[in-house]
Amino acid sequence: KNQVEQSPQSLIILEGKNCTLQCNYTVSPFSNLRWYKQDTGRGPVSLTIMTFSENTKSNGRYTATLDADTKQSSLHITASQLSDSASYICVVSPDATNKLIFGTGTLLAVQP
Amino acid sequence: DTGVSQDPRHKITKRGQNVTFRCDPISEHNRLYWYRQTLGQGPEFLTYFQNEAQLEKSRLLSDRFSAERPKGSFSTLEIQRTEQGDSAMYLCASSLALIAGGPGTDTQYFGPGTRLTVL
């Protein structure tokens, strides 16, 4: 069964600190992996997209890594801000089907 | 605002009633997707369109669900004889695929969603 698992489920950090979120997937075949940010009550917003040949992708203070051999990805957030408080969802797209398989997300709370 | 819009934002209905949601994608986007998200879970794929053609449907999309995109622009999702288990956020996303049937690396832009509550 195609699955995307994330850890931790929730995380609280202080403003200005860094954090790393983890994603493991068992989706096969594999086309690409995405990280989305979802604020409460809103639709997800794309942060990064990586194909199997890419190891890392950055978007401002967000840096995603991908190890297609071990089927693991991480999202590193640098110098966190209060506005980073949201759910971060790891999403995998199987090859050529164009649908997205979402993880359950990591709920991040950044406190002052 | 040139983003994806959805209407209504909230819908409360009684069990057994029919509901219809509308999604207006970003202009010129040829792909449109519907997802369902329950509380505390990530979105689940329901169906997607390439222009007006419905190319894939999830097994989550029972016979009570139907989606259309008649002119390749806006789309509607109808749920007939709603059940309490249908209560969820229904998300629409659109993307521009430069290669028809390609591997799906196009960025999907999500709308704000329609929150359905079935009493």
Side-chain angles (χ1 to χ4, degrees), chain B residues 8-113:
Chain B
R9 295 290 307 277
H10 304 274
K11 178 70 176 179
I12 300 175
T13 190
K14 292 183 179 180
R15 187 177 53 183
Q17 298 293 305
N18 300 340
V19 295
T20 300
F21 311 141
R22 176 180 170 122
C23 171
D24 286 272
I26 294 173
S27 178
E28 313 265 322
H29 276 190
N30 51 7
R31 286 186 179 157
L32 187 147
Y33 305 79
W34 284 99
Y35 295 87
R36 180 174 68 187
Q37 186 175 25
T38 54
L39 200 61
Q41 301 296 315
E44 295 174 292
F45 169 81
L46 292 179
T47 187
Y48 96 98
F49 294 83
Q50 174 93 20
N51 300 312
E52 66 275 7
Q54 189 173 17
L55 296 189
E56 187 166 347
K57 293 170 59 174
S58 163
R59 55 186 170 83
L60 295 174
L61 216 64
S62 74
D63 291 343
R64 298 184 296 104
F65 289 71
S66 62
E68 294 182 344
R69 195 184 184 198
K71 298 182 180 179
S73 56
F74 74 92
S75 175
T76 58
L77 177 68
E78 180 183 16
I79 308 175
Q80 296 182 325
R81 304 181 304 281
T82 53
E83 302 173 354
Q84 288 185 326
D86 296 332
S87 296
M89 174 80 85
Y90 290 83
L91 292 163
C92 173
S94 72
S95 70
L96 177 62
L98 299 179
I99 303 174
T105 53
D106 42 294
T107 297
Q108 293 184 25
Y109 296 87
F110 283 80

Side-chain angles (χ1 to χ4, degrees), chain A residues 36-104:
Chain A
Y36 275 84
K37 177 186 179 185
Q38 186 174 24
D39 293 311
T40 302
R42 294 179 175 268
V45 174
S46 178
L47 296 176
T48 62
I49 300 176
M50 291 181 291
T51 63
F52 66 90
S53 61
E54 296 178 286
N55 299 121
T56 186
K57 182 72 70 79
S58 290
N59 178 3
R61 295 180 295 103
Y62 301 103
T63 299
T65 65
L66 173 64
D67 185 334
D69 292 330
T70 61
K71 298 187 177 181
Q72 295 180 325
S73 176
S74 66
L75 179 70
H76 186 73
I77 304 175
T78 304
S80 60
Q81 301 175 357
L82 297 178
S83 60
D84 291 335
S85 296
S87 181
Y88 291 84
I89 309 176
C90 177
V91 188
V92 177
S93 178
D95 192 27
T97 61
N98 304 306
K99 65 184 180 187
L100 302 181
I101 300 173
F102 288 76
T104 55

